[in-house]
Amino acid sequence: MGVKKAAKQPKRRFSITRLFWRTVIAGATLAAILIVLLIGYITFWPFEVRPQELTTTVLGDDGNVLTTIFVENRTAVKLEDISGQFLQAVVAVEDARFYQHPGIDIIRLAKVILINIKERSFAQGASTITQQLARELYLTQDKNFVRKIREAIIALQLERHLSKQEILEMYVSQVYMGHGLYGIQNAAQFYFGKDADELNLAQASLLAGVIQIPEVYSPYNNWNAARRRQKIVLDRMVLVGAITRQQADQAYADEQSVRPIKHSGTQLSASYVKQAIVTHLGSRFLNGSQYAYRGGLTIETTINRELQLAAEQAVREGIDYLDSLNQGKFLLKNADGTPYAEVALVALDPRSGEIKAMVGGKSSREYARNRVYLSDHHPGSTFKPFLYAEALLTGKVTLGTPVLCGPVEFQIPGQENPWVPKDFGGKYHDAELTIREAITVSDNVIAAKVMNDVGPENVVELAQSLGFPLGPQNAVLALALGSAEVSPLDMAVGYATLSNGGYKVSPVMITKVEDQQSRVWESTGAAEPTRVLDERVAYLLTDALQDVLTTEGTGHPVLRWYSDSRAAAKTGTTENNEGKVNSAWLAGYTPDLVTVVYVGADIPQQAITNAANTGGGGIAGAIWGRFMNKAQKVLPNTPLRPVPEGIVKHEICKSTGQLATRACPPELRVEELYLQEYAPTETCSEHGTVPGQDDKDKPWWWFLFPNWPPGLLLLHTA
């Protein structure tokens, strides 16, 4: 029995019927689309071209870009300022018939419809450059038929209202380029550190390839994928006649040219600078905040990039250092393990008031509280120099005046119990200190006594002239210890007056605001400084405040990170009702820079540390010292102001504040500076002198044995 042969399968023949129905379906679909487009086109009239959301550029004090403010990080650029080869590459790979179609490529659309019907999917797309622009400006990224119809309608409208050049210009500024960047200018800067008009063919073709799937074809994310896509772009450019095969091969071989640049690991945040700008524009102009984020403004500022970066690093490193102390237990933390301590740092030029650096907190979020401007902080002892300024000015005390630090009570009108000031930690020195020494060790009792003698209302009046927002309600004895609420910026302006020889400056950060049409919204220069304090008093206080940054002063912890013989500073600490540190300050300056650092809790009465005997020098100083050390390397080493006329120097006895005699113990004899009109004229009344004798009448052995008891000298003269 033979084996049956399998029946021969008939060859599949070309079906005219199948082709007919495919053509009918495609034609009907295309006709339906055209009808809907026509109806939509009429319905949508009139049509307004939506402006792009553009990035606001913030410039530093050197005129270079400091940071940007945006919803979408986009910088508009004119077509003539873009590499022609990039434009050719984009057209070649994204929409080869861009200059021929009216916004919709009917030929390409018909081909895609046939392919999608055959594949029974929407895998193929036919969006032109104009359609892509329409989608980016007006629509979402949803993949559905309705959105495609709307996209096509808007594309037709765009073509009617804009030229091809305008559409292409908007497209290359609108398109997403990965890493949070929009537009070719930002992409060229980010990937290659160039402007858009400086791209060569290799770089232009690679960036044109990024557009399709930015996070996949970014050379940072996937080098090999980016190179494969670049090859496709170059081949398309050859196919459409934009370049020759030789040019394409040479561009692809130039691998080194398309290696993306390396970005610094330490990036500038400037989040609080940006927040201050947005707040300022919102208060000055209608919809100013929106323009800051979307309007593509150019804003010139006084911020110095190096100092701003140093400030951000100092805050970060300083908080980390404090958090590491005592095995991570130095800073008190909330339930989430976050320290209660918050931070503010502001630095300005004392000669002009220009703000050079600003950090308003630990967070880098742009909507966080900017504590630099918030006037809800008690400055503690950092306010004392302004009390002593009034006292020195009126001659109530001199730097050499001795005052007893011991228990004292002050009766306050309207209060049942007297006010009993104590030094930090609830102690007393139980000794007489000169005013210079009281400043150096930040003695509270002596400050309270001087305030009582000077009169709080007079100190408030002086403080107001220095820029502090004080009123009659602040005229209390406790003002000597910083009871008034001020902002770190207020404190910086006050200390700038001391650094600037008694001239007050007005703080300024924004100097110019200009829009896309080159219209100047605002232009502000530094105001002329005004004399508010005797330059001699400013000099005396500066000289005394330099002692704070010595081993004897409360600022001595700063010496671990920073040392400068020109620097003057004052520490400050406030405590809650339980005697725990609630905030710490350090305000100081050189002739080039005033810097104020505040570290404290946002929650009233919340302690930031349980550590005892740790004040502003140990807490705020950990940030202030780090920042000033970095700033010292950036700024010029401007010498101190010369000694003003009317300042005299005398050797005094610290025990009495009077002119020292040979009889005064050497450890009590010091040289001190005075306002000429308040300089001591009497010799020491405690240790005595030789009646009727001065140095020229003394015997020769007096100069060899100046500390012999006065009695022996009297015997000799007898």
Side-chain angles (χ1 to χ4, degrees), residues 29-344:
T29 303
L30 186 58
I33 291 173
L34 292 174
I35 292 172
V36 172
L37 288 177
L38 181 61
I39 295 172
Y41 189 85
I42 297 171
T43 304
F44 266 68
W45 180 262
F47 181 80
E48 182 178 352
V49 178
R50 181 174 295 176
Q52 294 174 299
E53 293 186 351
L54 301 176
T55 295
T56 286
T57 301
V58 180
L59 306 180
D61 61 356
D62 59 357
N64 294 321
V65 176
L66 178 76
T67 186
T68 51
I69 304 172
F70 55 84
V71 175
E72 294 181 349
N73 190 4
R74 176 181 297 106
T75 301
V77 59
K78 297 294 183 182
L79 212 60
E80 56 265 27
D81 296 325
I82 302 173
S83 163
Q85 292 177 320
F86 173 77
L87 298 175
Q88 291 176 323
V90 168
V91 171
V93 76
E94 293 292 327
D95 186 1
R97 286 174 40 80
F98 172 70
Y99 291 104
Q100 285 75 50
H101 63 67
I104 303 172
D105 192 339
I106 302 299
I107 298 175
R108 185 179 175 189
L109 180 62
K111 290 179 180 178
V112 168
I113 290 174
L114 288 174
I115 294 172
N116 285 339
I117 291 174
K118 180 179 180 181
E119 300 294 334
R120 297 182 181 181
S121 71
F122 291 97
Q124 295 288 324
S127 294
T128 63
I129 285 177
T130 312
Q131 286 175 276
Q132 292 181 52
L133 179 61
R135 180 173 65 245
E136 294 293 333
L137 287 178
Y138 298 93
L139 305 171
T140 67
Q141 300 296 323
D142 295 339
K143 288 187 176 182
N144 56 60
F145 190 71
V146 174
R147 195 267 292 163
K148 293 294 290 183
I149 295 296
R150 294 178 63 197
E151 178 185 292
I153 293 171
I154 296 172
L156 290 174
Q157 293 280 28
L158 286 174
E159 291 275 353
R160 187 176 187 280
H161 290 84
L162 300 173
S163 67
K164 288 289 187 180
Q165 300 297 317
E166 290 172 325
I167 291 172
L168 185 58
E169 180 178 287
M170 290 185 69
Y171 175 77
V172 295
S173 290
Q174 183 73 26
V175 68
Y176 182 59
M177 299 296 290
H179 304 283
L181 305 167
Y182 292 81
I184 181 56
Q185 175 63 18
N186 286 354
Q189 284 286 345
F190 178 77
Y191 288 107
F192 302 120
K194 293 183 172 184
D195 287 329
D197 62 349
E198 297 174 332
L199 298 172
N200 60 33
L201 178 57
Q203 295 162 342
S205 58
L206 187 134
L207 291 184
V210 168
I211 294 173
Q212 188 180 59
I213 314 176
E215 303 304 345
V216 172
Y217 294 130
S218 163
Y220 286 112
N221 295 345
N222 193 327
W223 170 253
N224 292 329
R227 289 281 282 165
R228 288 194 298 270
R229 181 64 180 168
Q230 180 197 18
K231 183 70 165 59
I232 292 173
V233 173
L234 290 169
D235 289 343
R236 287 290 301 171
M237 294 180 74
V238 173
L239 185 64
V240 300
I243 59 175
T244 65
R245 170 50 60 188
Q246 182 182 8
Q247 289 175 312
D249 293 341
Q250 288 175 345
Y252 188 74
D254 188 8
E255 180 176 328
Q256 189 59 37
S257 179
V258 293
R259 288 283 180 184
I261 62 174
K262 293 182 179 180
H263 292 277
S264 171
T266 305
Q267 297 296 321
L268 184 71
S269 168
S271 57
Y272 292 96
V273 173
K274 291 188 280 189
Q275 182 197 109
I277 291 172
V278 173
T279 301
H280 173 80
L281 293 178
S283 65
R284 290 275 289 116
F285 305 102
L286 182 65
N287 297 323
S289 298
Q290 293 186 34
Y291 272 98
Y293 281 104
R294 307 172 188 272
L297 305 175
T298 298
I299 299 176
E300 297 178 9
T301 74
T302 61
I303 298 294
N304 180 278
R305 168 176 282 277
E306 291 182 87
L307 293 181
Q308 180 64 31
L309 183 58
E312 294 175 9
Q313 290 175 332
V315 167
R316 185 168 56 252
E317 293 170 2
I319 289 294
D320 288 346
Y321 164 77
L322 294 173
D323 196 27
S324 70
L325 296 177
N326 193 20
Q327 298 179 338
K329 298 178 182 178
F330 181 80
L331 293 180
L332 293 176
K333 301 178 177 67
N334 60 22
D336 297 330
T338 303
Y340 287 109
E342 265 298 348
V343 187

Side-chain angles (χ1 to χ4, degrees), residues 649-653 658-662 666 668-672 674 680:
K649 181 187 290 186
H650 290 292
E651 185 181 49
I652 64 165
C653 177
Q658 297 170 324
L659 295 173
T661 70
R662 299 282 181 174
L668 294 180
R669 295 204 304 264
V670 295
E671 288 189 329
E672 189 54 270
Y674 295 89

Side-chain angles (χ1 to χ4, degrees), residues 542-668:
T542 296
D543 191 77
L545 290 171
Q546 287 174 332
D547 292 348
V548 174
L549 296 176
T550 63
T551 54
E552 292 78 23
T554 55
H556 73 271
V558 169
L559 299 176
R560 177 173 180 176
W561 302 284
Y562 171 69
S563 178
D564 186 339
S565 61
R566 304 172 304 147
K570 185 69 189 75
T571 61
T573 310
T574 66
E575 298 176 340
N576 63 12
N577 294 334
E578 299 175 352
K580 303 292 185 181
V581 175
N582 174 251
S583 70
W585 294 70
L586 203 152
Y589 55 91
T590 66
D592 300 307
L593 197 68
V594 173
T595 302
V596 174
V597 171
Y598 158 84
V599 181
D602 289 340
I603 304 171
Q605 296 298 313
Q606 173 61 55
I608 60 175
T609 178
N610 274 325
N613 300 320
T614 302
I619 299 175
I623 296 172
W624 191 90
R626 283 177 164 85
F627 171 71
M628 291 297 285
N629 181 54
K630 293 181 173 69
Q632 187 179 35
K633 300 169 184 175
V634 174
L635 298 170
N637 191 13
T638 303
L640 290 168
R641 288 175 172 271
V643 181
E645 290 187 12
I647 293 287
V648 295
K649 181 187 290 186
H650 290 292
E651 185 181 49
I652 64 165
C653 177
K654 292 197 299 181
S655 181
T656 61
Q658 297 170 324
L659 295 173
T661 70
R662 299 282 181 174
C664 297
E667 65 271 16
L668 294 180

